[in-house]
Amino acid sequence: MIIKNYYFYFVSVIPENVCDDIIRHAENQPEFIASTGGRNAEELQVNEELQKQNEKHRKSHVSWLGDPWIYQEIQPYVHEANRNAGWNFDWDYSEQIQFTRYKLNQYYHWHEDQDLEPYDNTFPSHQGKIRKLSCTIQLNHPHEYEGGDLQFRTPHGEFTCNEIKPKGSICIFPSFVTHRVTTVTSGTRNSLVMWNLGPPYR
């Protein structure tokens, strides 16, 4: 799909103290090896062979957050980006928020967040919906790590979203846009990811 804006960003809009609160809160939640490719997330935690397969595409650790105060910080920017970027997608639900920690030599290769089919009835709140807008929030300062760049692949070429490197910055993009996080070569990159759902396109 050819669109005018493949991503939209806000620089340093989440206060630093809120970013720090999110990190502290996430560090008190269970941490998991991040799964991809439809792999069973529970089995992945204990199956070394499955972990090796998974690492061909993704290597990072995640925790899951569902606190209303975090949604309240982020959702207004999703609405604003959806309007100002000219997407005007119909969305009405945000999935559980993923806290992602990229440590040394961790990455997420090229992928899209949107599945081929709408969600089934596994999660009743998701049923019949698709991911329409993805959102990533930078939680730490850029001098705390190297690598870990958010990049996009579009019909116009590949782009690095350097604009969101400052702490508290947000990048929002259609969930069908191909993107990746490059390998972290030093330090640790902490971020949030939130997917926003709506009915299938008409």
Side-chain angles (χ1 to χ4, degrees):
M1 182 184 294
I2 304 296
I3 54 179
K4 182 178 179 180
N5 294 296
Y6 287 88
Y7 64 91
F8 198 89
Y9 61 88
F10 303 90
V11 178
S12 301
V13 289
I14 304 298
E16 289 197 15
N17 66 302
V18 174
C19 293
D20 295 339
D21 287 344
I22 292 171
I23 293 172
R24 281 192 293 267
H25 179 51
E27 288 174 340
N28 289 319
Q29 309 306 312
E31 184 178 72
F32 304 95
I33 298 170
S35 63
T36 189
R39 295 182 176 85
N40 184 295
E42 293 182 1
E43 185 181 356
L44 178 65
Q45 311 309 310
V46 297
N47 186 322
E48 291 186 6
E49 183 58 36
L50 202 62
Q51 291 175 20
K52 291 178 182 178
Q53 295 174 18
N54 194 71
E55 288 176 3
K56 293 178 181 178
H57 192 65
R58 182 182 191 184
K59 188 176 183 181
S60 63
H61 293 80
V62 300
S63 300
W64 297 98
L65 310 175
D67 306 84
W69 64 272
I70 303 179
Y71 289 100
Q72 290 167 9
E73 289 284 345
I74 302 169
Q75 286 178 330
Y77 295 103
V78 180
H79 285 293
E80 186 175 346
N82 189 35
R83 181 176 61 252
N84 291 346
W87 302 318
N88 296 309
F89 295 154
D90 180 13
W91 71 276
D92 56 14
Y93 185 82
S94 298
E95 288 188 55
Q96 195 171 25
I97 298 169
Q98 179 181 274
F99 172 80
T100 311
R101 173 162 284 169
Y102 291 95
K103 303 175 184 178
L104 180 65
N105 296 326
Q106 295 190 333
Y107 50 82
Y108 197 165
H109 293 325
W110 293 113
H111 66 285
E112 299 84 34
D113 293 337
Q114 193 175 91
D115 292 326
L116 294 175
E117 299 293 336
Y119 278 108
D120 60 21
N121 60 2
T122 303
F123 300 100
S125 57
H126 299 35
Q127 186 174 2
K129 300 179 188 295
I130 63 170
R131 288 178 173 175
K132 286 191 168 178
L133 290 167
S134 298
C135 177
T136 184
I137 299 92
Q138 179 67 26
L139 295 178
N140 54 328
H141 292 292
H143 67 260
E144 296 175 9
Y145 67 95
E146 294 182 352
D149 292 329
L150 175 63
Q151 297 184 333
F152 294 98
R153 178 184 287 165
T154 79
H156 306 296
E158 296 179 4
F159 303 91
T160 299
C161 189
N162 290 314
E163 297 91 344
I164 67 157
K165 289 188 174 181
K167 185 173 182 175
S169 299
I170 301 177
C171 183
I172 296 148
F173 54 95
S175 298
F176 55 74
V177 175
T178 304
H179 58 286
R180 70 175 177 179
V181 175
T182 63
T183 303
V184 170
T185 55
S186 69
T188 298
R189 176 181 184 259
N190 295 316
S191 64
L192 290 183
V193 177
M194 186 175 78
W195 302 282
N196 305 281
L197 314 181
Y201 302 109
R202 296 179 180 179

